[in-house]
């Protein structure tokens, strides 16, 4: 009785460990791409500097590194004390010109009343009219000067040139800045990956080639088994730098990355022929991988050495380095 129970248990265990036979495939060499693992560096499409339009003292700054800004936001204010003094001088000049104009108009009215009685000549009346016109034009010029100074005062506001994230803020409040000096650098226009590959691969890569992009960071999430996203090469630079060719890769969803962060990327650099089997055709027992093939005497489990996993039309396949050859009939569960 015990022997019968033991035999039944052994048969059930073997049946559970042995996959059911559903079909077979004939191994044929297929073309696979060799992928080179590199690191891509996150870059922003545009780096827009927020510059000072007028010199002075940086009195306030509303952003820090990492702040998100919109185009037109006031991110800093620059004040020039000389502008306030110039406004006071223009206002004083306007008051003096207004007083002179009132006096000139009074003289003109008096001259108009006396010219009819012959007490004032016509030439003197023309001079009085000219004096009034000159003073009015001087007042308009002074008002224009005041408008220029007011515009310079408003240009002390440093505006964000584009939507984006602030990378650096080199100027601190209280420091003296000159016209054209950068107050903040803003990463704008989205993000992409920049690759630097050895020059021997320069002839193999081109715009439009697909690449695999790993997860961000250098922790467990960035391992080879982690899910990958698909990107494509959009630009290959014609100039080599330090024996390396530069290429830009577009990937969706790079908006949350840090500029300058490195991300693992796998890029195709060569093609070769190999034998691949479906991933579910591989059995592992005692640390050894087996693939069941159909021989002359029936199914036979052949030990194999496996390579990297590939995909063929959405089906996961594994490269077989040794143990099988072209023409073998592989049993697929």
């Amino acid at each position: 009785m015990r022997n019968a129970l033991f035999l039944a248990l052994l048969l059930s265990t073997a049946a559970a460990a042995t996959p059911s036979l559903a079909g077979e495939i004939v191994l044929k060499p297929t073309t696979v791409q060799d992928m080179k693992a590199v690191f891509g560096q996150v870059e922003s499409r545009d780096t827009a500097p927020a510059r000072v339009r007028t010199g002075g003292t940086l009195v306030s700054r509303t952003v820090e590194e990492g702040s998100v800004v919109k185009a037109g936001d006031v991110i800093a204010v620059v004040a020039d004390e000389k502008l306030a003094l110039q406004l006071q001088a223009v206002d004083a000049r306007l008051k003096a010109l207004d007083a002179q104009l009132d006096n000139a108009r009074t003289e003109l009215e008096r001259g108009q009343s006396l010219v009819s009685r012959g007490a004032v000549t016509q030439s003197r009346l023309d001079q009085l009219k000219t004096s009034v016109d000159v003073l009015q034009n001087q007042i308009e010029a002074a008002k224009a000067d005041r408008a220029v100074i007011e515009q310079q005062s408003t240009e002390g506001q440093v505006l964000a040139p584009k939507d984006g994230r602030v990378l650096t803020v080199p100027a601190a409040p209280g420091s003296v800045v000159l016209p054209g000096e950068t107050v903040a650098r803003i990463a704008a226009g989205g993000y992409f990956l920049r690759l630097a590959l050895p020059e021997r691969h320069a002839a193999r890569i081109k715009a439009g080639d697909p690449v695999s992009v790993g997860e961000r960071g250098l922790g467990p999430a960035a391992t080879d088994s982690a899910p990958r996203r698909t990107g494509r090469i959009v630009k290959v630079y014609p100039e080599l730098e330090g024996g390396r060719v530069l290429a830009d890769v577009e990937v969706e969803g790079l908006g949350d990355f840090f500029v300058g962060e490195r991300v693992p990327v796998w890029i195709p650099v060569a093609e070769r022929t190999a034998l691949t089997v479906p991933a579910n055709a591989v059995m592992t027992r005692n640390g050894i991988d087996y693939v069941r093939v159909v021989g002359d005497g029936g199914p036979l489990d052949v030990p194999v050495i496996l390579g990297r996993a590939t995909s063929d039309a959405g089906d996961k396949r594994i490269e077989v380095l040794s143990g099988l050859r072209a023409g073998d009939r592989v049993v697929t569960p």
Side-chain angles (χ1 to χ4, degrees), residues 5-222:
L5 291 175
F6 178 76
L7 181 60
L9 180 62
L10 182 62
L11 291 176
S12 63
T13 303
T18 303
S20 58
L21 303 181
E24 63 182 46
I25 60 173
V26 178
L27 285 186
K28 297 180 180 179
T30 58
T31 300
V32 297
Q33 292 182 330
D34 280 337
M35 308 293 287
K36 180 175 181 60
V38 297
F39 279 103
Q41 184 167 320
V42 179
E43 301 285 350
S44 61
R45 297 192 182 280
D46 300 319
T47 302
R51 300 185 184 276
V52 178
R53 292 176 289 177
T54 181
T57 303
L58 186 65
V59 296
S60 65
R61 191 186 66 200
T62 60
V63 297
E64 299 291 342
E65 290 86 349
S67 300
V68 178
V69 296
K70 298 290 185 181
D73 289 350
V74 178
I75 62 176
V77 176
V78 177
D80 188 355
E81 297 178 355
K82 297 190 299 294
L83 296 180
L85 298 176
Q86 291 175 4
L87 279 177
Q88 294 177 2
V90 171
D91 291 339
R93 183 152 57 95
L94 282 172
K95 291 180 180 180
L97 290 174
D98 287 337
Q100 294 177 13
L101 180 62
D102 292 340
N103 186 40
R105 285 174 176 172
T106 302
E107 292 290 336
L108 178 61
E109 291 175 358
R110 185 180 296 113
Q112 288 175 345
S113 62
L114 294 177
V115 71
S116 60
R117 290 179 291 180
V120 176
T121 63
Q122 184 64 37
S123 61
R124 174 60 180 168
L125 184 63
D126 292 340
Q127 290 178 357
L128 294 176
K129 289 182 180 179
T130 301
S131 298
V132 172
D133 293 339
V134 169
L135 289 173
Q136 287 178 342
N137 291 332
Q138 288 179 352
I139 290 175
E140 294 298 326
K143 289 181 178 179
D145 292 340
R146 194 180 197 285
V148 170
I149 298 174
E150 290 177 345
Q151 179 63 29
Q152 290 177 347
S153 300
T154 60
E155 288 180 353
Q157 296 179 344
V158 182
L159 307 180
K162 291 185 176 182
D163 299 349
R165 186 180 298 275
V166 177
L167 296 179
T168 58
V169 281
S175 59
V176 177
V177 293
L178 300 177
E181 189 171 345
T182 300
V183 172
R185 292 175 55 248
I186 299 172
Y191 299 89
F192 65 94
L193 291 177
R194 177 158 293 169
L195 308 181
L197 302 172
E199 60 180 315
R200 65 178 180 273
H201 302 307
R204 296 289 307 177
I205 62 174
K206 62 183 182 299
D209 287 347
V211 299
S212 297
V213 181
E215 296 295 327
R216 63 180 297 180
L218 302 178

Side-chain angles (χ1 to χ4, degrees), residues 254-267:
L254 288 179
D256 294 333
F257 279 65
F258 294 103
V259 174
E261 183 177 1
R262 298 199 306 163
V263 182
V265 178
W266 289 265
I267 182 170

